[in-house]
Amino acid sequence: MTTGKINVSVENIFPLIKKFLYSDHEIFLRELISNGTDATLKLKHLISIGDAKVEYGNPTIEVKIDKEGKKLHIIDQGLGMTSEEVEKYINQIAFSGAEEFLEKYKDSAKDSGIIGHFGLGFYSAFMVAEKVELITKSFKDEPAAHWTCDGSPEFTLVASDKTTRGTEIILHIAEDSLEFLEENRISTLLNKYNKFMPVPIKFGTKTETLPTPEDAPEDFKAEEVEVDNIINNPNPAWTKAPTELKDEDYKEFYRELYPMQFEDPLFHIHLNVDYPFNLTGILYFPKMSSDLQIQKDKIQLYQNQVYVTDNVEGIVPEFLTMLKGVIDSPDIPLNVSRSYLQADGAVKKISNYITRKVADKLKSLFTENRADFEEKWNDIKIVLEYGMLSEPKFYEKAGAFTLYPTVDGKYFTLEELKENLKETQTDKDGKLVLLYAGNKESQHSYIQTAKEKGYEVLLLDSPIISHLIQKLEADNENMTFVRVDSDHVDNLISKEEATISKLSETEQETLKTVLETLVPKPTYNVQLQAMDSHSAPFIITQPEFMRRMKEMSQSGGGGGMFGMGNMPEMYNVVVNTNSELATTILNSTDKTHQEQLVKQALDLAKLSQNLLKGEDLTAFVKRSFELVK
């Protein structure tokens, strides 16, 4: 029998481990199963190169609960350890066996999937256990060893009668951690952290019905048998080459990742790179909502098929965190508990690679089947527009496949719009004017007016479109975006003769004075304009600059990325001097009647812009019924 002290430099290392080393106690199971996986994969590698003369077989890792004895068992059939190795790897904290193994076999083992980096995973057991036993037998022809520690720096190491290769860890669960003796709790953790581990993981048994023979009689009763319950998929889709997978395989894996997701993804992107870093994964574009926050934290980060986190900020560009899927890379540097990313140049390279790969995939989808891409545009546009705003490298490539739909359901790239509209939609300064609506319903009358004049109207309705427009205009000097209800629409050069006002200059000045006394300031600014007599008598437009600033303030949430504080409400009341109503208001001698006409016309214009609310709306309805009477 050997006794001694674990070789640590801090007397109270175990309380430190329990309180501070790991952010969440539940990950002890992930760490211990990862150790078992390492031991199994190391053995597989040694056999493959001839350094271990044993049969590999079909090893599994088993998790067993002994609720009555308050024990949890994790059993592997890996390479095991000798007593000497237990002394070296268990009693010398932070001396990682995986690290030493990789160094020794660095040329042949780089693709063997060895997980461990820190040598501390085993000690996570003490976060939930008051005593830990380790019974292990090496693949070498040496006696088995039995190590025991009660959470103090004291340990015992004795010979064991274990005859089978591998390691069994027995956790004597502490009173404050008895939840980890519940089957549902362990099952949930295995599903969360170990769902795609590269070695089969057994947890309990399940009942399966044997197949019915073809010649079975009608009253044949199929036999039911108990079989091992393997809870993981050791060969998930992302570990395979794209050539091995069909479209249905990708959809099936999506359903495996998100069993509660009932809609298929729109399309997928398979990531696979081995230089200058190793990274595999599959990203899916789901149907998007306009709520950017709801969409986030759906991508899972793995390291050699071990789940790490669903917070991939830093690795995946922010605009792509709204996607779903898996990324797996052994080259992503993690801190000691594998819970948080460390700042590293490799991480930025990975992020840039993912950005480029996504852009290339989108371009190929657009080129290969434009009609299908157009059909999916409204479900993916928010991600692409956000990417153009936040990632310069993505912005450079996105022009080739970013679409601008019209209110009539046609789709154009920006270059196509420039070419198609250069002769018909320029302003007085020679700039190309791209008219757009933010809402087809509320801006219907403005859209119709523009279309009657032969203008093309785009439908740009995402919550961040104002920011993207600002960027596009900054990069295209001879182009401007103008919303159909904006005061800038008047700057478009009409192909017809300019409309002449029926009112003289003096009459116009008198009319404007009357209107300005009745239209509330400073929210509304009165403007007179000679328009077709069939046009609406009163139209409300918004100053383009103020409207954009207000939208950008709202989309930034006041204090968010684009927050600019609260912008004041400002509108223009454009009065058609060629309308009969303008003439009637001008010539009315009854001041009360004149005021009623102006209020009713203004309220109708406000109603068309959804600006009539509260008391004003109540007064308008009452006044309208009086007029009907």
Side-chain angles (χ1 to χ4, degrees):
M1 175 176 172
T2 301
T3 63
K5 285 196 172 185
I6 294 170
N7 183 16
V8 292
S9 57
V10 182
E11 184 70 17
N12 59 347
I13 187 72
F14 291 108
L16 287 175
I17 288 172
K18 187 160 187 171
K19 287 187 177 181
F20 304 117
L21 180 59
Y22 290 88
S23 55
D24 195 333
H25 286 190
E26 69 179 31
I27 58 84
F28 81 92
L29 192 60
R30 178 191 72 184
E31 294 299 310
L32 296 179
I33 291 177
S34 294
N35 286 350
T37 301
D38 273 353
T40 307
L41 295 178
K42 287 177 190 175
L43 178 66
K44 184 177 183 180
H45 181 72
L46 292 176
I47 292 171
S48 71
I49 63 173
D51 278 13
K53 309 297 183 183
V54 295
E55 289 292 324
Y56 184 64
N58 297 297
T60 62
I61 295 170
E62 183 176 6
V63 179
K64 291 197 304 186
I65 294 174
D66 175 3
K67 196 166 184 178
E68 188 175 336
K70 296 184 180 180
K71 292 183 285 189
L72 185 67
H73 300 249
I74 295 98
I75 307 161
D76 71 63
Q77 296 158 15
L79 45 65
M81 288 182 283
T82 64
S83 292
E84 183 182 344
E85 287 168 336
V86 171
E87 287 266 20
K88 182 175 182 180
Y89 298 127
I90 301 300
N91 295 339
Q92 295 183 38
I93 289 179
F95 189 97
S96 172
E99 203 73 46
E100 185 188 47
F101 183 90
L102 284 174
E103 180 61 29
K104 181 177 178 181
Y105 296 100
K106 61 184 176 184
D107 293 328
S108 61
K110 61 181 180 180
D111 297 319
S112 61
I114 308 302
I115 298 162
H117 286 292
F118 309 109
L120 287 161
F122 172 75
Y123 287 94
S124 65
F126 287 97
M127 295 191 300
V128 300
E130 59 188 12
K131 183 171 81 171
V132 176
E133 295 181 70
L134 183 147
I135 305 169
T136 182
K137 178 168 175 55
S138 172
F139 71 97
K140 303 168 188 173
D141 187 18
E142 294 194 31
H146 187 168
W147 178 94
T148 306
C149 180
D150 63 1
S152 71
E154 305 289 335
F155 75 88
T156 63
L157 179 61
V158 298
S160 166
D161 59 2
K162 179 177 171 63
T163 58
T164 55
R165 180 191 74 217
T167 299
E168 178 175 5
I169 298 170
I170 305 169
L171 308 184
H172 296 258
I173 301 298
E175 288 298 319
D176 62 357
S177 299
L178 294 180
E179 63 183 284
F180 297 111
L181 293 172
E182 299 297 331
E183 187 172 321
N184 285 343
R185 182 74 167 111
I186 295 300
S187 181
T188 299
L189 293 181
L190 291 172
N191 188 62
K192 176 179 179 180
Y193 291 110
N194 307 103
K195 191 173 184 177
F196 300 110
M197 294 284 277
V199 176
I201 299 169
K202 175 187 172 184
F203 181 56
T205 59
K206 62 181 179 180
T207 302
E208 283 191 357
T209 303
L210 294 176
T212 303
E214 290 184 9
D215 58 350
E218 287 186 14
D219 60 349
F220 178 83
K221 187 175 181 181
E223 184 182 355
E224 293 185 341
V225 294
E226 290 286 317
V227 297
D228 289 346
N229 181 33
I230 303 299
I231 59 90
N232 63 319
N233 174 4
N235 301 294
W238 84 80
T239 64
K240 302 173 183 177
T243 52
E244 298 178 54
L245 302 168
K246 297 177 181 177
D247 193 51
E248 185 52 40
D249 295 321
Y250 287 106
K251 289 180 182 177
E252 186 61 36
F253 180 59
Y254 183 76
R255 290 188 282 269
E256 189 176 358
L257 281 173
Y258 310 104
M260 300 305 292
Q261 184 72 39
F262 303 111
E263 286 186 308
D264 284 339
L266 300 170
F267 51 83
H268 64 267
I269 298 170
H270 198 136
L271 305 169
N272 195 340
V273 62
D274 55 17
Y275 182 82
F277 47 80
N278 285 292
L279 181 139
T280 55
I282 301 172
L283 296 180
Y284 293 94
F285 269 79
K287 286 193 173 184
M288 297 292 168
S289 74
S290 59
D291 190 329
L292 307 186
Q293 292 303 319
I294 288 177
Q295 303 287 151
K296 296 182 75 173
D297 295 336
K298 304 296 182 184
I299 296 175
Q300 299 173 13
L301 174 65
Y302 286 76
Q303 197 173 66
N304 288 321
Q305 295 175 236
V306 181
Y307 174 81
V308 176
T309 181
D310 58 7
N311 179 4
V312 294
E313 188 177 342
I315 302 173
V316 175
E318 187 178 359
F319 77 100
L320 292 178
T321 57
M322 292 176 280
L323 304 188
K324 294 184 176 182
V326 165
I327 288 175
D328 189 330
S329 175
D331 293 334
I332 295 172
L334 303 173
N335 71 2
V336 72
S337 69
R338 296 191 214 199
S339 300
Y340 302 102
L341 292 166
Q342 294 176 332
D344 189 89
V347 172
K348 186 59 181 173
K349 289 179 183 176
I350 290 172
S351 177
N352 289 342
Y353 165 78
I354 293 172
T355 298
R356 186 174 72 252
K357 186 75 174 180
V358 169
D360 291 344
K361 176 69 172 183
L362 292 167
K363 177 65 166 63
S364 69
L365 289 169
F366 173 79
T367 304
E368 291 165 12
N369 191 340
R370 177 163 177 165
D372 184 62
F373 192 80
E374 289 178 356
E375 191 176 316
K376 294 172 178 173
W377 175 254
N378 283 328
D379 291 314
I380 65 173
K381 64 185 177 185
I382 188 72
V383 176
L384 274 62
E385 290 168 353
Y386 190 22
M388 292 174 73
L389 283 168
S390 59
E391 287 289 329
K393 291 184 183 298
F394 185 77
Y395 179 77
E396 291 170 11
K397 291 175 172 282
F401 50 79
T402 298
L403 294 174
Y404 301 86
T406 71
V407 291
D408 300 317
K410 296 179 286 185
Y411 291 82
F412 299 99
T413 64
L414 193 59
E415 290 305 312
E416 289 168 347
L417 288 172
K418 290 178 181 178
E419 183 62 29
N420 295 349
L421 305 181
K422 63 184 179 183
E423 300 296 332
T424 57
Q425 286 185 207
T426 55
D427 65 12
K428 294 165 186 176
D429 299 320
K431 275 190 175 184
L432 174 66
V433 177
L434 298 178
L435 288 179
Y436 74 97
N439 186 305
K440 279 177 69 172
E441 300 303 319
S442 65
Q443 293 157 9
H444 182 268
S445 61
Y446 298 94
I447 293 170
Q448 288 304 110
T449 300
K451 288 175 67 176
E452 285 168 6
K453 293 181 179 180
Y455 299 138
E456 192 76 80
V457 181
L458 305 176
L459 180 60
L460 307 179
D461 56 2
S462 81
I464 58 174
I465 196 63
S466 295
H467 304 283
L468 182 58
I469 283 173
Q470 292 283 103
K471 186 171 182 60
L472 291 168
E473 287 178 339
D475 292 336
N476 295 270
E477 289 183 3
N478 293 317
M479 182 188 77
T480 185
F481 286 82
V482 173
R483 207 168 81 173
V484 287
D485 58 352
S486 164
D487 53 358
H488 278 43
V489 173
D490 303 333
N491 291 333
L492 274 167
I493 299 174
S494 175
K495 299 306 171 188
E496 305 170 357
E497 289 288 329
T499 306
I500 300 172
S501 177
K502 293 192 300 185
L503 302 181
S504 67
E505 287 188 13
T506 302
E507 288 174 318
Q508 290 183 55
E509 288 176 9
T510 303
L511 176 63
K512 189 169 185 179
T513 301
V514 170
L515 292 168
E516 286 180 336
T517 61
L518 300 173
V519 174
K521 293 181 179 180
T523 305
Y524 295 96
N525 175 47
V526 174
Q527 296 179 356
L528 302 184
Q529 185 177 332
M531 293 182 277
D532 187 291
S533 59
H534 299 296
S535 298
F538 279 42
I539 299 173
I540 290 179
T541 64
Q542 287 184 276
E544 182 72 9
F545 175 78
M546 292 298 293
R547 180 187 57 73
R548 283 197 199 180
M549 291 301 104
K550 187 176 187 331
E551 286 179 355
M552 290 167 74
S553 172
Q554 290 172 339
S555 66
M561 182 172 68
F562 301 117
M564 297 180 182
N566 295 320
M567 304 296 293
E569 299 277 358
M570 290 185 67
Y571 301 93
N572 300 314
V573 179
V574 182
V575 178
N576 181 5
T577 58
N578 288 335
S579 65
E580 288 187 23
L581 181 59
T583 303
T584 302
I585 292 170
L586 175 66
N587 296 328
S588 177
T589 56
D590 184 338
K591 296 299 180 185
T592 301
H593 182 240
Q594 187 181 57
E595 182 178 346
Q596 282 185 329
L597 288 174
V598 173
K599 280 187 176 180
Q600 191 71 5
L602 178 60
D603 283 353
L604 284 167
K606 288 163 69 176
L607 192 64
S608 72
Q609 281 281 62
N610 200 29
L611 295 171
L612 199 60
K613 296 181 174 70
E615 292 183 15
D616 290 340
L617 178 59
T618 303
F620 166 77
V621 172
K622 184 177 180 181
R623 192 186 322 118
S624 297
F625 279 124
E626 290 298 322
L627 290 172
V628 170
K629 278 199 303 185

